[in-house]
Amino acid sequence: MTHPLEAPQRHRKYPFVHMRISDHSVLDTIEGRHNCRLCNRSRKFFCYSCYVPVGELEELLPRLELPLQVDIIKHKKEIDGKSSAVHAAVLAPRHVRIHTFPDIPDYRAEPGVVLIFPSATALAVPQLFERNVRLQTGDNYGLPKGHHMGTMLRRRMDEVELEEPQARHERRTWTLDNLPVRRAVFIDSTWNQSRGIYADERVRGLRTVVLQNRLSQFWRHQRGSPRWYLATIEAIHQFLLEVHINAWGLNTQYRGLDNLEITEGFHQLAAPLRTQSAIADVGREAPYNGQYDNLLFFFAHMYDLIHKYYDHNDLIAYRRPI
């Protein structure tokens, strides 16, 4: 039986069609390199050390307002120029900051902080919003006691909403001021490096959230990992997308999720949250209508370039499992 994520008719479509991503063809018009106004290093589109655009892109890039703060903990061995995490800091500078481990804040005393990490006790996003949802892990997938899927998460954990029809009418009203999450922390590193960061006492006590509802479109696949291991910018977009939908619903006219290879379970959980709204309504507390899609501005551009100039099936580094 074909998994819904792997349906061939979805897999071959351009994933970002109908999303509210600004026209990134402007990047094709940028000639040469420019000096960063902060460090004076020569860069193409943005400085991946200072997280600012360079040259004329200062005035041309879309800028985003996010509903919460985003912290990215980068491993010192991660190559700055290849990290998609920088995209978020450049495009949403008021809400995103990047730290290089071990120079990180102590989050233990700060309320409303979650860590996006697949621990043994990780929650799904709807659980943060008091929805009657649980992760269906079965009998620990048959693993011995002491082992859990958080060690590698080779298999998806389905989200299941338990039947409580009455509760649907009693859900609280969420605003930007009372969201259950005030800051989301993401780890930007390889899987082995991330486990070392997670062991740090400054983050280990945080509530953890797992994201497994979407397949990655990243062209440089990490060997041995399943396709729901998202690139950092994809993970930030997916988390904010799920937070927004659980808080304020999903615009019934928004078609941006059609080709993103998102699980059927996600759509089922989002179904009761679909809300009729104007096609142009992109207010901060309006039903989701692509408010954070521009986080993928650079990512979508690179995706286009890779698929325009290379056959990724012929390049080992770009070969992904179906």
Side-chain angles (χ1 to χ4, degrees):
M1 179 177 177
T2 302
H3 191 284
L5 280 171
E6 300 171 353
Q9 63 271 24
R10 287 190 183 185
H11 184 68
R12 294 191 178 92
K13 290 181 180 178
Y14 179 65
F16 311 114
V17 69
H18 304 314
M19 296 185 77
R20 287 182 175 269
I21 300 177
S22 299
D23 182 6
H24 48 77
S25 63
V26 65
L27 298 176
D28 295 325
T29 69
I30 303 298
E31 297 182 358
R33 298 167 70 86
H34 302 270
N35 290 340
C36 171
R37 57 180 168 81
L38 298 180
C39 69
N40 208 39
R41 294 186 178 97
S42 176
R43 304 297 194 216
K44 178 66 173 177
F45 298 136
F46 53 80
C47 180
Y48 44 77
S49 302
C50 303
Y51 317 130
V52 295
V54 297
E56 60 191 285
L57 281 184
E58 286 268 13
E59 305 299 326
L60 297 177
L61 284 185
R63 298 300 175 94
L64 291 89
E65 294 289 313
L66 306 183
L68 48 87
Q69 297 298 314
V70 170
D71 277 21
I72 300 163
I73 299 177
K74 182 175 71 71
H75 194 276
K76 62 183 178 181
K77 291 186 178 180
E78 282 295 293
I79 301 173
D80 291 337
K82 292 185 176 181
S83 171
S84 68
V86 178
H87 302 176
V90 172
L91 295 166
R94 290 186 65 248
H95 293 94
V96 179
R97 60 185 187 180
I98 298 178
H99 307 280
T100 301
F101 187 80
D103 185 16
I104 65 173
D106 190 337
Y107 297 104
R108 287 174 291 188
E110 183 179 346
V113 183
V114 298
L115 175 68
I116 314 306
F117 186 82
S119 75
T121 57
L123 304 173
V125 172
Q127 291 175 292
L128 299 175
F129 288 84
E130 303 171 1
R131 293 183 67 183
N132 194 22
V133 171
R134 64 178 171 83
L135 290 171
Q136 192 174 41
T137 59
D139 185 20
N140 202 34
Y141 291 117
L143 294 173
K145 186 177 180 180
H147 293 73
H148 55 80
M149 293 314 295
T151 59
M152 197 57 189
L153 284 178
R154 296 273 185 186
R155 297 172 63 179
R156 279 197 69 254
M157 295 185 291
D158 292 321
E159 297 172 18
V160 179
E161 183 163 34
L162 305 181
E163 287 298 327
E164 285 190 14
Q166 191 64 30
R168 297 185 187 278
H169 306 291
E170 299 172 356
R171 288 179 183 149
R172 63 185 294 182
T173 300
W174 299 100
T175 70
L176 287 168
D177 294 326
N178 72 355
L179 286 178
V181 181
R182 305 306 305 159
R183 186 182 305 278
V185 181
F186 295 79
I187 297 177
D188 183 40
S189 70
T190 65
W191 174 250
N192 287 332
Q193 292 167 348
S194 70
R195 287 186 292 184
I197 294 174
Y198 179 62
D200 190 287
E201 61 182 6
R202 292 170 291 180
V203 298
R204 187 164 182 83
L206 295 175
R207 283 190 302 170
T208 52
V209 176
V210 64
L211 300 175
Q212 290 187 295
N213 282 323
R214 170 169 163 184
L215 292 190
S216 177
Q217 303 300 329
F218 194 37
W219 45 90
R220 196 167 53 250
H221 177 69
Q222 200 175 123
R223 185 186 297 272
S225 62
R227 277 193 61 202
W228 53 78
Y229 274 45
L230 302 176
T232 303
I233 194 64
E234 291 178 294
I236 295 171
H237 178 266
Q238 181 66 21
F239 178 75
L240 294 174
L241 167 76
E242 294 193 30
V243 164
H244 195 107
I245 290 174
N246 279 277
W248 301 299
L250 174 63
N251 191 322
T252 55
Q253 300 189 67
Y254 176 68
R255 309 309 311 167
L257 305 183
D258 289 0
N259 292 346
L260 265 191
E261 296 189 281
I262 291 179
T263 65
E264 294 300 329
F266 170 86
H267 289 292
Q268 291 169 8
L269 286 174
L273 304 177
R274 291 184 179 275
T275 305
Q276 189 70 36
S277 188
I279 188 62
D281 190 355
V282 290
R284 296 193 69 189
E285 295 182 12
Y288 192 77
N289 196 20
Q291 282 89 329
Y292 318 124
D293 287 0
N294 265 329
L295 284 171
L296 301 175
F297 181 80
F298 291 113
F299 188 87
H301 174 71
M302 288 302 299
Y303 180 96
D304 283 354
L305 288 180
I306 292 295
H307 288 78
K308 179 179 179 180
Y309 292 109
Y310 301 100
D311 179 352
H312 66 269
N313 289 315
D314 291 338
L315 297 174
I316 294 176
Y318 296 82
R319 193 174 299 157
R320 304 178 313 187
I322 298 299

